[in-house]
Amino acid sequence: MKLIIDEESCTACGQCAQVCIRDNIVVDDFAVETGSNCFECGHCMAICKVGAITLKAFEGHEDRIAEYNPHEIPVGYDDFLQFLKQRRSIRWFKKKKIDEATFDKLFEGAYYSPSAQNEQDVEFVVLDEELDEFMELVYDIIKVEEEKFFRIKEFGNYLKDNATKEFHPLLWEGKQLILTFSTDKTSAVIANTRLELLAYSLGLGGFYSLFILKADEIGHDRLMEFFPEIDKNKHMYSSFIIGYPKKRFRRTIPHKDIQVSYR
Ligand SMILES: Cc1cc2nc3c(=O)[nH]c(=O)nc-3n(C[C@H](O)[C@H](O)[C@H](O)COP(=O)(O)O)c2cc1C
């Protein structure tokens, strides 16, 4: 049994049973957990008007439980859209590094992210001191594609002699990198996008790196040797270089029309 239900305060309104997608609750005189299929999404607990349901798994995490006005949307459409419009990839950074307390603020966005089957198995690594060592491994794995991508060749030349290019071919001025691991790609990308947007809300910036991700596609097992703490069934599905922006953009620019079909 995953739930603690307070029979005294339960009003038998039935909302918990309605929102449970695992058919785990039946309501008669009061709510009763009948199934054993609960995946701890917490919808029953979050919707209860009288707070009669507690998930055992949430015990010890009471500081995370906070009531809010369900009819109040905290961010307006216009402000939020403007925020999205102003987002740009940032590759030029100040020397100042992001500290751990600030990273923790970003991971709050990922903490509240949805995940497939509510697995919540998205995991992050922030590379800073070990970034150069990691990038050498990335090159060693992705160099098999250097004839296909001139950027990889450029990267190899830069590692041999960094006078070949003014900026790092993959990191540009980036000095800190967030890697996202999960068994499920979509869950990882969603979690990373949330922390990316929170980063912009704090005046930080960054960009995703396709080439770093290639290391997982080409040599997953070898890559994971660098991360012995992470389950090998997880993949590195997102790679985001982050820092304090040095350059500021001033205007939005057009994009290709979004193709949408309604059928
Ligand atoms: C999945 C993904 C991979 C990307 N890979 C790289 C990359 O390897 N190097 C880079 O400089 N920018 C990379 N970008 C950033 C894109 O080049 C950028 O989004 C595009 O040029 C448009 O600029 P904007 O993000 O400012 O709108 C990537 C973006 C995404 C979404």
Side-chain angles (χ1 to χ4, degrees):
M1 291 287 148
K2 302 268 179 83
L3 307 175
I4 301 166
I5 300 172
D6 179 13
E7 299 168 10
E8 297 293 317
S9 55
C10 174
T11 60
C13 72
Q15 293 262 36
C16 53
Q18 275 176 28
V19 296
C20 177
I21 63 162
R22 293 286 180 98
D23 294 330
N24 239 28
I25 302 174
V26 169
V27 181
D28 193 2
D29 291 339
F30 49 82
V32 176
E33 184 181 5
T34 50
S36 55
N37 215 6
C38 172
F39 70 151
E40 297 171 336
C41 68
H43 280 210
C44 55
M45 180 174 173
I47 204 159
C48 181
K49 281 187 187 156
V50 294
I53 302 186
T54 311
L55 244 105
K56 287 180 189 162
F58 298 168
E59 277 181 331
H61 300 274
E62 286 78 5
D63 56 331
R64 289 286 184 176
I65 299 162
E67 290 199 18
Y68 55 85
N69 179 349
H71 302 291
E72 207 170 88
I73 298 170
V75 191
Y77 175 85
D78 290 339
D79 284 345
F80 194 46
L81 181 62
Q82 185 60 30
F83 176 65
L84 297 180
K85 282 182 181 173
Q86 288 181 212
R87 177 220 62 83
R88 297 314 311 252
S89 291
I90 300 296
R91 302 184 179 93
W92 316 108
F93 300 101
K94 291 180 181 161
K95 287 209 163 59
K96 181 183 172 186
K97 296 261 188 94
I98 299 168
D99 60 26
E100 273 191 43
T102 308
F103 275 118
D104 284 347
K105 285 175 117 173
L106 304 185
F107 294 127
E108 279 290 287
Y111 182 89
Y112 290 103
S113 188
S115 60
Q117 304 265 50
N118 196 32
E119 285 284 347
Q120 302 186 21
D121 75 351
V122 177
E123 180 167 347
F124 298 96
V125 175
V126 177
L127 285 178
D128 180 326
E129 282 172 24
E130 295 180 26
L131 183 56
D132 290 341
E133 192 190 335
F134 174 71
M135 291 306 288
E136 290 200 12
L137 171 66
V138 168
Y139 175 67
D140 223 40
I141 298 173
I142 68 175
K143 67 184 176 195
V144 290
E145 295 206 349
E146 67 184 358
E147 294 311 320
K148 218 159 110 191
F149 298 99
F150 95 101
R151 191 70 83 196
I152 300 180
K153 187 161 236 164
E154 224 179 25
F155 179 31
N157 293 338
Y158 182 87
L159 287 178
K160 278 179 224 120
D161 172 10
N162 64 16
T164 57
K165 209 169 180 294
E166 194 184 352
F167 294 108
H168 192 292
L170 264 55
L171 301 174
W172 302 99
E173 285 188 312
K175 295 276 178 283
Q176 289 171 301
L177 172 65
I178 299 176
L179 301 174
T180 311
F181 296 82
S182 173
T183 51
D184 178 65
K185 187 174 190 171
T186 311
S187 304
V189 173
I190 290 171
N192 200 102
T193 309
R194 282 160 198 237
L195 83 79
E196 176 210 353
L197 293 178
L198 268 187
Y200 286 109
S201 80
L202 291 176
L204 300 166
F207 68 100
Y208 291 98
S209 169
L210 175 76
F211 294 105
I212 294 173
L213 286 189
K214 283 191 171 294
D216 188 276
E217 287 163 29
I218 297 170
H220 173 73
D221 292 346
R222 176 124 186 262
L223 177 81
M224 294 311 284
E225 285 170 19
F226 199 86
F227 305 102
E229 72 278 24
I230 300 178
D231 180 345
K232 307 281 171 291
N233 292 317
K234 295 186 184 181
H235 285 261
M236 183 177 77
Y237 283 134
S238 180
S239 163
F240 188 67
I241 293 119
I242 189 163
Y244 286 92
K246 193 156 82 180
K247 297 184 193 294
R248 301 260 170 201
F249 295 103
R250 292 178 184 279
R251 57 187 64 83
T252 60
I253 55 141
H255 278 74
K256 290 180 194 166
D257 285 342
I258 291 280
Q259 302 301 314
V260 183
S261 343
Y262 296 93
R263 347 177 1 155

